Amino acid sequence: MSQDRAKVRLYVDAPLGVAQSVPVNREQANYLFNVMRLATGDRVALFNGRDGEWLAEVVTHNKRGGILTCVAKSGPQCQPPDLWLLFAPIKKTRTDFIVEKAAEMGAARILPVQTRHTNAERIRQDRLQAHAIEAAEQCGGTYVPEVAELQQLARLLDDWPMDRQIMFCDESLVGAKAGLTAASGDKWAILIGPEGGFAEEETTRLREMDCVISVSLGPRILRADTAAVAALTLWQATLGDWR
Amino acid sequence: MSQDRAKVRLYVDAPLGVAQSVPVNREQANYLFNVMRLATGDRVALFNGRDGEWLAEVVTHNKRGGILTCVAKSGPQCQPPDLWLLFAPIKKTRTDFIVEKAAEMGAARILPVQTRHTNAERIRQDRLQAHAIEAAEQCGGTYVPEVAELQQLARLLDDWPMDRQIMFCDESLVGAKAGLTAASGDKWAILIGPEGGFAEEETTRLREMDCVISVSLGPRILRADTAAVAALTLWQATLGDWR
């Protein structure tokens, strides 16, 4: 069936523009033609993080790939606010969820960090990046946040760009008034702690940094994945693209 | 080891008070004495949703159960605001997550609802209730929200108590200004739609109800579990116990 609004959204690398041809790789071909059962002439919505959303038509396809052609621009390029999410990786499923939710909630970059109490020694960056892509396809966004490699929080703070504010979700403030009260600037990062919290030296260091604003997330202790969504909500509603 | 602050928190049915004996059942005994390896004299934090948090000591235990004795009250009873969460059940894992997150975020009741586009024909109420208990134990709360049996949204609205406002998270408002602007009253319910959204007749009916306030959750389409946490955050920060 041809349709005006595409049911399938796909993130691609290729440039998008009038009559532009877009090749799809084996994995994308499997999704489009096996899973979603698209046929020649069917339409797909494409985005690449730069050129907005385009309606494209299936020109040819087989098991190993296919060619789509851009038909018309269907939406503008929408960049998220300049917001990073720093979090300490936890169990696999919950780490996947944090990345998925950060993409849905409009984080621009996702930075897994190793803290004193983080168990994870390594992450599968490629798998997490794939989750971010899938979330962007699903949520109607035109941007995929980059997932960085795991790095030490202490080193990241050594080189921290001082014009970027940190919304520090400080578990020791559980029960304090929630919300972003003193807030300014348009470059931000949210920092979510590991299960078990930050080490005292980490908390002390963060509180002493001028760019850090400590924030409470209510009277109950939230799991890291809950805290990520809650913090992103507070930030987006107060300073971001929900306003 | 004896300790002043208990690492383990447990929800029980029994009344809690000075020198009160509290029996633990087989499942709780397995958790306390096998998983957490507590011994006679070790301390546990108990709550029952009525009497606050109490420190209790292990008096006797075996594989099938045990007896704890309350030592001292360690925290007040904190009731959540009078907030219900209505949501359409989705895939198993995500439904579990919604219940867990609703308990962490301080919902007072959790009501799974069947909408026109809900796939789920039934839920495992007992399993969902167990998730709510575990989340309350984990997040330091002293209250466990009741998980209701699955019911039809249409019927629930037929008998809706008109003094309870509904924060209706309306997907068709994606991109509108987010937030709770016109808000009053202290009885509330949040309504989150199914994947695929509400049917037009449902949306029309909701919008015509006086107690309904339609709310946008930002410019991207959120999955139901993300939407639940985001909506609970907005509500708690604006009207609830995060203020």
Side-chain angles (χ1 to χ4, degrees):
Chain A
M1 93 239 107
S2 275
Q3 56 198 12
D4 272 5
R5 242 195 116 185
K7 275 188 193 167
V8 178
R9 300 185 83 244
L10 197 67
Y11 172 77
V12 294
D13 277 334
L16 302 174
V18 180
Q20 184 83 41
S21 278
V22 178
V24 299
N25 62 30
R26 180 172 223 144
E27 200 180 339
Q28 292 166 330
N30 180 53
Y31 173 64
L32 294 179
F33 311 122
N34 283 336
V35 180
M36 300 306 292
R37 302 190 165 276
L38 297 189
T40 303
D42 283 348
R43 291 186 168 185
V44 187
L46 302 179
F47 64 103
N48 61 8
R50 305 181 300 277
D51 300 325
E53 189 191 81
W54 284 78
L55 269 188
E57 217 169 78
V58 178
V59 179
T60 75
H61 68 94
N62 58 35
K63 283 180 186 172
R64 292 176 306 281
I67 303 284
L68 313 176
T69 298
C70 289
V71 176
K73 191 164 185 172
S74 48
Q77 178 61 35
C78 296
Q79 296 300 114
D82 190 354
L83 174 65
W84 299 356
L85 177 69
L86 279 59
F87 77 100
I90 37 178
K91 281 179 225 154
K92 184 180 164 302
T93 315
R94 288 184 192 268
T95 300
D96 292 351
F97 264 67
I98 288 180
V99 168
E100 173 191 297
K101 267 111 198 66
E104 281 178 52
M105 296 290 303
R109 280 187 79 198
I110 300 169
L111 296 92
V113 292
Q114 204 159 15
T115 68
R116 289 290 296 268
H117 298 160
T118 305
N119 287 321
E121 295 289 314
R122 52 185 182 168
I123 55 161
R124 283 281 308 272
Q125 189 278 337
D126 57 339
R127 213 169 43 81
L128 294 180
Q129 187 65 67
H131 278 292
I133 290 172
E134 200 190 315
E137 289 170 347
Q138 180 103 19
C139 76
T142 49
Y143 178 85
V144 176
E146 177 213 346
V147 181
E149 289 287 354
L150 185 63
Q151 57 197 307
Q152 302 235 344
L153 176 64
R155 265 188 230 158
L156 189 63
L157 294 182
D158 287 343
D159 299 325
W160 192 258
M162 282 304 165
D163 61 342
R164 184 173 296 275
Q165 309 270 322
I166 299 178
M167 173 176 160
F168 168 38
C169 301
D170 187 348
E171 282 205 346
S172 62
L173 293 180
V174 160
K177 191 179 174 311
L180 271 173
T181 41
S184 63
D186 53 4
K187 294 182 182 179
W188 279 84
I190 289 171
L191 172 59
I192 299 291
E195 317 251 311
F198 290 99
E200 202 179 308
E201 65 192 67
E202 290 170 329
T203 306
T204 305
R205 178 176 184 183
L206 283 161
R207 287 196 189 141
E208 284 171 355
M209 288 172 72
D210 283 339
C211 59
V212 167
I213 292 175
S214 297
V215 167
S216 163
L217 298 177
R220 286 158 296 268
I221 300 159
L222 305 181
R223 283 185 196 260
D225 52 342
T226 317
V229 180
L232 286 159
T233 304
L234 280 185
W235 192 91
Q236 289 288 19
T238 313
L239 297 167
D241 64 12
W242 287 30
R243 286 173 300 170
Chain B
M1 95 235 110
S2 274
Q3 55 197 11
D4 269 6
R5 241 194 116 185
K7 277 187 191 166
V8 178
R9 299 185 83 244
L10 197 68
Y11 172 78
V12 294
D13 277 334
L16 303 174
V18 179
Q20 185 83 42
S21 277
V22 178
V24 301
N25 62 30
R26 180 173 220 140
E27 202 180 338
Q28 291 167 329
N30 181 53
Y31 173 65
L32 294 179
F33 310 122
N34 283 337
V35 181
M36 300 306 292
R37 302 189 165 275
L38 296 189
T40 303
D42 283 348
R43 290 187 169 185
V44 187
L46 302 179
F47 65 104
N48 61 7
R50 306 181 300 277
D51 300 323
E53 188 191 83
W54 284 77
L55 269 188
E57 216 170 77
V58 178
V59 179
T60 74
H61 68 95
N62 58 35
K63 282 180 188 171
R64 293 175 308 280
I67 304 283
L68 313 176
T69 298
C70 289
V71 175
K73 192 164 185 173
S74 48
Q77 179 61 35
C78 296
Q79 295 302 113
D82 191 354
L83 174 65
W84 299 356
L85 177 70
L86 278 59
F87 77 100
I90 37 178
K91 281 178 226 154
K92 183 181 165 299
T93 314
R94 288 183 193 269
T95 300
D96 292 351
F97 265 68
I98 288 179
V99 170
E100 173 190 298
K101 267 111 197 66
E104 283 179 49
M105 296 291 302
R109 279 188 79 200
I110 300 169
L111 296 92
V113 292
Q114 205 159 14
T115 67
R116 290 290 297 268
H117 298 160
T118 305
N119 288 322
E121 295 289 313
R122 51 184 183 170
I123 54 162
R124 286 279 309 270
Q125 189 276 339
D126 57 338
R127 214 170 40 83
L128 294 180
Q129 187 65 66
H131 278 291
I133 290 172
E134 199 190 315
E137 290 171 346
Q138 181 103 20
C139 76
T142 49
Y143 178 84
V144 176
E146 177 213 346
V147 181
E149 288 288 354
L150 184 63
Q151 58 197 308
Q152 302 235 346
L153 175 64
R155 263 187 233 160
L156 189 62
L157 294 182
D158 286 344
D159 300 325
W160 192 258
M162 282 305 165
D163 61 342
R164 185 173 294 276
Q165 310 270 323
I166 299 178
M167 173 176 160
F168 168 37
C169 301
D170 186 348
E171 282 205 346
S172 63
L173 292 180
V174 159
K177 189 180 177 311
L180 271 173
T181 41
S184 64
D186 54 5
K187 293 182 183 179
W188 279 84
I190 289 172
L191 173 59
I192 299 290
E195 319 252 310
F198 290 98
E200 203 180 308
E201 67 193 65
E202 290 170 329
T203 306
T204 305
R205 177 176 184 183
L206 283 161
R207 286 196 189 139
E208 283 169 358
M209 288 172 72
D210 283 338
C211 59
V212 167
I213 292 175
S214 297
V215 166
S216 163
L217 297 177
R220 288 159 296 269
I221 301 159
L222 305 182
R223 283 183 196 262
D225 52 340
T226 318
V229 180
L232 286 159
T233 304
L234 280 184
W235 192 91
Q236 289 287 21
T238 312
L239 296 167
D241 64 13
W242 287 29
R243 286 173 298 170

